[in-house]
Amino acid sequence: MEHGDLVFFPCLAVASIEDSGAQKQFCIPYLQSQSLMQLDRHTVYMIITNFMKTREEGHFLEELFEVTSCYFPIDFTPPPNDPHGITREHLILGLRAVLASTSRFAEFLLPLLIEKMDSDVQSAKLDSLQTLSACCTVYGQKELKEFLSGLWSSIRREVFQTASEKIEAEGLAALQALSTCLSRSILSPDAEDLLDSFLNSVLQDCKHHLCEPDMKLVWPSAKLLQAAAGGSSRACWKVTANVLPLLLEQYNQHAQMALHTSASISKEKIHPPSSWLQYSCFAEQQTSNHRRTILEMTLGFLRLQSRWLDEEDENGLGSLKEALCSMVFSAVTDSSTQLHLVAVRILTALAMQQGFLSSRDTDLVVDHLTRLILQESDSESCMAAVEASGTLAKVHPSAFISRMLPQLCANLQTEPNDINLNESRVVSEHSVRRHCLEALAAVCTHQSILKETVPILLDYIRTAPNGEGETNAENVVSVCKSLYRVAVQCQEDSESLQFYHQTVLPCLLSLTVQAATQDSETSSHVLLKDDILTAMVPVISAACTHLKPELASKSVSQIVGLFLDGDVSLLPENNFSSKFQPFQVNGPTELQNRLVSLLMAFVCSLPRNTEIPHLRRLLQHLLLLSLAGCSPFAYSSASKCFAGLINKCPQGDLLDDILQVTTQRIDVGLADEPSRNQAITLLVWVTKALILRYHPLSGQLTDKMIGLLSDKQLGPSVANMFSLLVSDSPDVLNKACHADVRIMFRQRFFTENVPKLVQGFNSANGDDKPNYLKALSHVLNTLPKQVLMPELPSLLSLLLEALSCADEVVQLSTLTCLEPLLLEAPETLNVHIDGLISKLLRLTSSPAMAVRITSLKCIRALIKLPLHMLLPYKQQVIRALAKPLDDKKRLVRKEAVETRCQWFLLGSPGS
């Protein structure tokens, strides 16, 4: 631009006059920019942007604020077909970034925010509070000083009076942001401490509400105080020092009232006037509620205080330690379960602060937790104590070793009868043992406790063969669940995991091998039951998934040697009466065959890069056992172990040879009547293993399974096995076990095989059609809705056919698949709506409760379809839904009431 040139824009003139290369002045005539066309407004703001980049030192601060703040708060909604994709949220965030960009806007913006917060428009309140929080990251004490009183009044009113949880949350966030902002500034010796005076205002307006008997404003006041305290360590110390003593005093007053009321009730029970007794019970409940509220508020302040705690500094609560401990110990011994729950959390918060509690106090905390675990009949209180023990054991391991573990061990040895541990409560022996086992597992969060606890749990399993009955087996299963939890916790620490692995695996294998090699006449075989071996599988699996390569290689050599060659040198107790031959299929080794499940748990959970020694030989033995005439548990375990290894086996000659032999053996097995069940079990697991890794042979094996759906004997079981092909398996062939699982394998399976299932259904005879429907519904149920929607038009007639199938599994699976689809495809449903409604109404009388409930949910989902499609059926549906209103099951009645009400409202104004 030449010197003195004048550039004209619509409704705007800008003169640029230069003198010796220095900019002297520029002017922006005041514009009503909102009244301009969009293109002109864009031009104006581009000019302003250029000025801000090149000529920031101007004299138009207020004008610049006005030209942007006139849009606040944003109430513009972009048109639905906006090509730019700009949303209202984009505009809000963009404007907020401008308004909060500089502290120089504070004198204009803060009054505007107060005005909008005091308005009746909810969106304006929300936007103002969020903008205030954003500004607090830029502003300092100087900018806020003049407006603190107004800001606090507006925020206080919103929290005290608002009916919106979102506005309340943003108000609390804004208050915390103010506290943080006031805490940041460095004070000169003679400057006023605005944080202190601001917190004094908050305390003055909120503190007295904590003492009001009706407690209406207790929680709003507590939330405001906690938000203010959350701004900084200085704010936290200021607020907690003023509030905690008051809360402690209030708790003691209510506790005295509770004692007085309880004594009055006990005295009047000799000749109790009913009205007095009712009043006293009500008063006792009220004081309990008040104490619980005080405890919850105390917990909130303690958690805030611990956030700012520095281990090397005084935590600021030393003077209140005795009163806090007295309060929480009183609450944890109260008869109220609700007080227990909060008290346990406070105990945890106090004990987690290093150095706050003395060793005597820590021992007392552990004793209280132990008492709740062993004596509390309420499961919620007991579980709270268990979880707290797990948290605190990391910090105070010695206290748990010396005080809790001995009592837990002693109670594990109790005789099977009811234990009267409290005059008013009876805790069954079964519950005590379960709680002990859960607690033993929970506290294994420190290596020293782990080394004490794991042998205790293993000793319990060692005594199992001497027990009798189902209770003994249930106890062993419970111990295995505890060991599994310990294994999962150990995965975070390599040393703990190594100890666990080298202690637990040899012991479990030794005990089970010993049981399997004993004479059948002298062995009770408790440890060889299906449910116990099944419970041991995740214990071993969790101990192997995170092993270091060196330990994994060493262990796999030992365990493969044990199963292939009977090398028992790994086992601590290896003086067995007979040789261990788990793969022998002819002879008295059926019990030994069952232990292949433990081999599966180990070798199929190792990292994929772990080399399995003698893999070809191992696979051959597993293949033979999979097709042998042993127990279903044994051949199923062998099939799963074989499939898990096949899934991870590297591509090459070994895999090709094994798969070729496997398909031949499966064909022979399917043709041989005695081994058909074994063959189909092996087929489904091998097929799944190959589907997951996208192996080319998976298609051929899947076709074989589809063909077997027409088999008179195997068809129904094969149909159920399609669920196994596409669902997650808990013990093998999953990502946790490092299986080779390709992304979107379900979608690929659907694309390749659903057309074949549909074709097979169309060509099958009447007796076989349900098998195809069942297989199809299992496949569809595992797919995301986005994949199913494009295929719905071609599959809907089949799904409706499946609803007429007599098989309840098919009905439930189809209904589960249909429910989310009913909301998305009104055009497709239009042709089938008559048949769909009739079939759904018929299923509301199904013998299966799950079918009745899901059919009612589907009928309610239809409400989202266009009104013209549903109105012709309104009366029919309302009449038919009168019957499930009297269903014998409460859940069915509840669903029927909700569904019928929705159909009654169909077509009414506002519906």
Side-chain angles (χ1 to χ4, degrees):
M1 181 184 299
E2 297 296 331
H3 177 77
D5 282 354
L6 193 65
V7 178
F8 289 95
F9 294 90
C11 303
L12 177 68
V14 178
S16 178
I17 304 174
E18 298 181 3
D19 183 18
S20 302
Q23 181 68 39
K24 286 191 173 181
Q25 65 177 0
F26 65 88
C27 64
I28 307 178
Y30 184 75
L31 294 174
Q32 292 289 343
S33 58
Q34 283 180 303
S35 63
L36 301 178
M37 298 294 290
Q38 184 182 27
L39 180 61
D40 296 336
R41 293 201 306 273
H42 179 265
T43 303
V44 169
Y45 287 112
M46 290 299 293
I47 294 172
I48 294 174
T49 301
N50 184 57
F51 282 160
M52 294 300 295
K53 289 180 178 178
T54 60
R55 302 170 177 88
E56 187 176 356
E57 296 300 325
H59 306 284
F60 304 100
L61 182 66
E62 184 173 2
E63 288 81 1
L64 184 60
F65 173 78
E66 291 295 336
V67 84
T68 52
S69 65
C70 60
Y71 293 102
F72 183 85
I74 295 290
D75 58 2
F76 169 72
T77 301
N81 298 322
D82 179 21
H84 304 290
I86 297 175
T87 65
R88 182 171 179 267
E89 188 65 22
H90 288 149
L91 299 176
I92 290 174
L93 294 176
L95 180 58
R96 184 176 301 156
V98 172
L99 295 177
S101 62
T102 173
S103 61
R104 298 176 67 188
F105 278 168
E107 62 178 305
F108 312 113
L109 178 59
L110 292 178
L112 177 63
L113 295 180
I114 293 173
E115 175 190 338
K116 298 302 180 183
M117 280 190 273
D118 294 346
S119 71
D120 296 327
V121 182
Q122 298 296 302
S123 60
K125 291 176 181 288
L126 194 65
D127 202 355
S128 299
L129 290 167
Q130 292 171 338
T131 303
L132 176 60
S133 297
C135 291
C136 286
T137 63
V138 178
Y139 293 178
Q141 288 195 4
K142 181 179 69 173
E143 289 79 17
L144 292 173
K145 180 177 180 180
E146 182 183 347
F147 306 99
L148 279 176
S149 176
L151 291 170
W152 161 238
S153 297
S154 298
I155 292 173
R156 180 188 62 208
R157 185 184 59 255
E158 292 308 319
V159 176
F160 276 166
Q161 299 178 6
T162 186
S164 167
E165 292 184 3
K166 192 167 186 180
I167 290 180
E168 179 190 85
E170 293 300 336
L172 296 173
L175 178 58
Q176 181 170 328
L178 281 172
S179 177
T180 302
C181 179
L182 295 174
S183 303
R184 275 199 308 265
S185 301
I186 299 175
L187 299 176
S188 59
D190 56 342
E192 178 186 1
D193 187 351
L194 285 182
L195 175 65
D196 190 68
S197 58
F198 179 69
L199 293 178
N200 284 336
S201 299
V202 175
L203 287 164
Q204 181 180 350
D205 290 343
C206 296
K207 189 176 172 183
H208 65 279
H209 290 304
L210 304 181
C211 308
E212 292 176 352
D214 60 3
M215 304 191 82
K216 287 182 179 179
L217 294 177
V218 163
W219 271 118
S221 298
K223 290 177 181 178
L224 286 166
L225 288 166
Q226 289 172 3
S232 66
S233 60
R234 192 156 60 98
C236 185
W237 302 141
K238 167 82 175 180
V239 175
T240 53
N242 280 272
V243 172
L244 282 182
L246 178 63
L247 293 178
L248 291 168
E249 179 186 350
Q250 287 294 303
Y251 183 88
N252 291 331
Q253 290 179 5
H254 286 293
Q256 290 298 321
M257 291 172 58
L259 289 174
H260 176 73
T261 304
S262 179
S264 300
I265 293 175
S266 301
K267 187 183 298 183
E268 291 294 333
K269 277 184 178 178
I270 303 173
H271 300 290
S274 59
S275 59
W276 163 249
L277 190 58
Q278 291 173 1
Y279 170 77
S280 299
C281 291
F282 172 77
E284 187 176 26
Q285 181 63 41
Q286 284 295 98
T287 57
S288 178
N289 291 339
H290 288 167
R291 283 183 292 160
R292 183 187 67 196
T293 300
I294 293 170
L295 286 171
E296 288 173 343
M297 289 188 291
T298 302
L299 176 63
F301 284 106
L302 288 176
R303 285 177 172 169
L304 276 175
Q305 189 263 355
S306 64
R307 184 197 304 175
W308 303 108
L309 185 64
D310 187 334
E311 292 182 10
E312 298 180 359
D313 295 336
E314 189 73 24
N315 66 13
L317 295 178
S319 61
L320 300 176
K321 182 179 75 170
E322 185 176 346
L324 280 169
C325 290
S326 175
M327 177 184 72
V328 72
F329 290 153
S330 168
V332 84
T333 55
D334 194 88
S335 59
S336 169
T337 298
Q338 296 303 314
L339 291 187
H340 294 171
L341 296 176
V342 188
V344 165
R345 298 202 297 271
I346 296 178
L347 282 175
T348 306
L350 292 175
M352 285 297 289
Q353 298 185 16
Q354 289 280 15
F356 179 70
L357 295 182
S358 65
S359 58
R360 180 179 175 279
D361 291 332
T362 302
D363 289 346
L364 196 54
V365 169
V366 176
D367 289 343
H368 280 301
L369 294 176
T370 305
R371 179 184 54 78
L372 288 175
I373 291 169
L374 296 177
Q375 300 181 14
E376 182 56 55
S377 61
D378 180 80
S379 60
E380 200 174 359
S381 293
C382 179
M383 290 312 301
V386 168
E387 296 303 321
S389 298
T391 302
L392 294 180
K394 300 176 186 177
V395 183
H396 306 286
S398 59
F400 281 87
I401 291 174
S402 63
R403 305 193 72 84
M404 179 178 282
L405 293 190
Q407 294 198 52
L408 296 179
C409 295
N411 279 274
L412 279 177
Q413 310 304 323
T414 53
E415 294 298 320
N417 53 14
D418 285 346
I419 307 172
N420 289 283
L421 297 170
N422 186 298
E423 292 182 359
S424 61
R425 304 181 185 189
V426 176
V427 185
S428 70
E429 178 267 346
H430 175 73
S431 296
V432 170
R433 289 192 177 187
R434 177 168 53 84
H435 295 163
C436 288
L437 291 172
E438 290 168 346
L440 283 171
V443 297
C444 287
T445 51
H446 193 278
Q447 194 174 133
S448 62
I449 302 179
L450 175 73
K451 293 181 178 180
E452 297 283 341
T453 302
V454 167
I456 295 171
L457 295 173
L458 294 176
D459 283 342
Y460 196 88
I461 296 180
R462 285 190 182 95
T463 63
N466 301 323
E468 296 180 0
E470 290 299 320
T471 302
N472 188 41
E474 291 175 5
N475 289 337
V476 176
V477 171
S478 298
V479 174
C480 290
K481 291 179 180 177
S482 294
L483 283 170
Y484 169 71
R485 176 173 177 175
V486 174
V488 172
Q489 292 170 175
C490 288
Q491 291 174 352
E492 301 174 2
D493 179 69
S494 59
E495 292 185 14
S496 296
L497 182 60
Q498 181 174 347
F499 168 81
Y500 181 93
H501 179 84
Q502 295 177 334
T503 305
V504 174
L505 262 67
C507 180
L508 293 183
L509 289 171
S510 178
L511 292 173
T512 50
V513 170
Q514 186 175 33
T517 53
Q518 285 180 348
D519 295 335
S520 58
E521 296 179 359
T522 61
S523 175
S524 64
H525 304 151
V526 174
L527 297 180
L528 304 179
K529 289 186 174 182
D530 291 2
D531 53 349
I532 291 181
L533 289 175
T534 301
M536 288 183 180
V537 167
V539 175
I540 295 176
S541 179
C544 300
T545 54
H546 290 68
L547 288 182
K548 289 186 174 180
E550 302 82 12
L551 182 57
S553 298
K554 178 182 176 182
S555 296
V556 73
S557 298
Q558 293 173 324
I559 290 180
V560 169
L562 170 66
F563 278 85
L564 284 181
D565 304 316
D567 181 1
V568 295
S569 59
L570 163 71
L571 308 181
E573 301 171 9
N574 53 25
N575 186 19
F576 305 131
S577 57
S578 61
K579 187 173 177 61
F580 182 53
Q581 298 174 307
F583 290 119
Q584 184 175 334
V585 295
N586 296 317
T589 59
E590 180 181 351
L591 293 177
Q592 297 184 25
N593 297 156
R594 303 168 67 81
L595 298 192
V596 172
S597 60
L598 304 185
L599 173 67
M600 173 203 72
F602 179 83
V603 296
C604 294
S605 302
L606 294 171
R608 212 181 305 171
N609 58 0
T610 304
E611 184 179 352
I612 309 295
H614 312 295
L615 181 57
R616 180 184 294 270
R617 183 177 161 212
L618 181 61
L619 288 170
Q620 290 170 345
H621 280 294
L622 287 168
L623 179 59
L624 289 174
L625 186 59
S626 299
L627 295 169
C630 50
S631 69
F633 183 84
Y635 70 69
S636 296
S637 298
S639 296
K640 290 196 282 186
C641 186
F642 182 83
L645 292 173
I646 286 294
N647 174 263
K648 296 180 183 179
C649 185
Q651 193 69 38
D653 293 340
L654 172 61
L655 181 61
D656 295 340
D657 294 345
I658 289 293
L659 288 178
Q660 182 179 1
V661 174
T662 302
T663 54
Q664 294 171 354
R665 293 286 180 86
I666 288 174
D667 289 338
V668 173
L670 290 173
D672 183 25
E673 185 68 28
S675 60
R676 298 195 81 195
N677 286 329
Q678 291 91 321
I680 192 60
T681 301
L682 178 61
L683 172 62
V684 69
W685 280 107
V686 172
T687 304
K688 180 180 179 70
L690 299 181
I691 287 171
L692 294 179
R693 62 179 288 176
Y694 286 179
H695 193 278
L697 188 60
S698 63
Q700 178 184 332
L701 297 182
T702 305
D703 290 345
K704 191 184 297 291
M705 289 189 65
I706 294 174
L708 287 171
L709 291 172
S710 298
D711 187 280
K712 299 298 181 185
Q713 178 190 2
L714 297 176
S717 60
V718 172
N720 284 326
M721 289 178 176
F722 270 80
S723 174
L724 190 150
L725 290 179
V726 290
S727 60
D728 293 324
S729 175
D731 50 2
V732 70
L733 293 176
N734 56 60
K735 290 183 178 180
C737 294
H738 308 290
D740 186 357
V741 181
R742 304 298 175 88
I743 61 171
M744 301 180 69
F745 76 91
R746 293 185 180 90
Q747 287 87 328
R748 177 171 176 170
F749 183 84
F750 170 86
T751 304
E752 293 178 350
N753 296 291
V754 165
K756 299 175 185 177
L757 288 171
V758 174
Q759 182 181 359
F761 171 83
N762 292 329
S763 60
N765 60 46
D767 294 336
D768 297 331
K769 284 183 181 291
N771 297 335
Y772 288 91
L773 290 175
K774 183 182 292 189
L776 180 65
S777 64
H778 283 315
V779 175
L780 297 182
N781 249 332
T782 61
L783 290 173
K785 183 174 62 176
Q786 295 84 349
V787 178
L788 277 178
M789 286 306 301
E791 307 295 331
L792 187 59
S794 61
L795 294 175
L796 189 57
S797 58
L798 271 182
L799 292 174
L800 295 179
E801 182 81 20
L803 292 179
S804 301
C805 181
D807 192 312
E808 292 175 356
V809 175
V810 176
Q811 293 173 357
L812 182 59
S813 182
T814 306
L815 288 169
T816 305
C817 177
L818 268 177
E819 184 186 354
L821 300 179
L822 295 177
L823 309 176
E824 306 290 339
E827 298 83 6
T828 305
L829 291 172
N830 194 27
V831 180
H832 302 278
I833 189 69
D834 186 75
L836 175 62
I837 288 179
S838 299
K839 293 177 189 294
L840 291 176
L841 290 175
R842 180 178 58 81
L843 290 176
T844 60
S845 301
S846 167
M849 182 181 74
V851 172
R852 300 199 300 275
I853 290 176
T854 314
S855 62
L856 288 166
K857 288 181 177 179
C858 288
I859 294 171
R860 188 162 77 249
L862 290 173
I863 290 292
K864 301 297 182 181
L865 296 179
L867 185 61
H868 70 274
M869 291 175 58
L870 301 178
L871 278 180
Y873 305 96
K874 178 177 178 179
Q875 295 306 318
Q876 175 192 354
V877 172
I878 290 174
R879 285 193 302 269
L881 291 181
K883 182 178 179 181
L885 292 177
D886 296 324
D887 195 279
K888 60 183 179 181
K889 296 294 185 180
R890 181 185 61 84
L891 293 177
V892 178
R893 296 195 301 271
K894 177 176 176 290
E895 204 66 46
V897 168
E898 294 179 5
T899 302
R900 197 165 188 251
C901 286
Q902 292 293 323
W903 277 82
F904 260 119
L905 295 173
L906 187 68
S908 60
S911 64

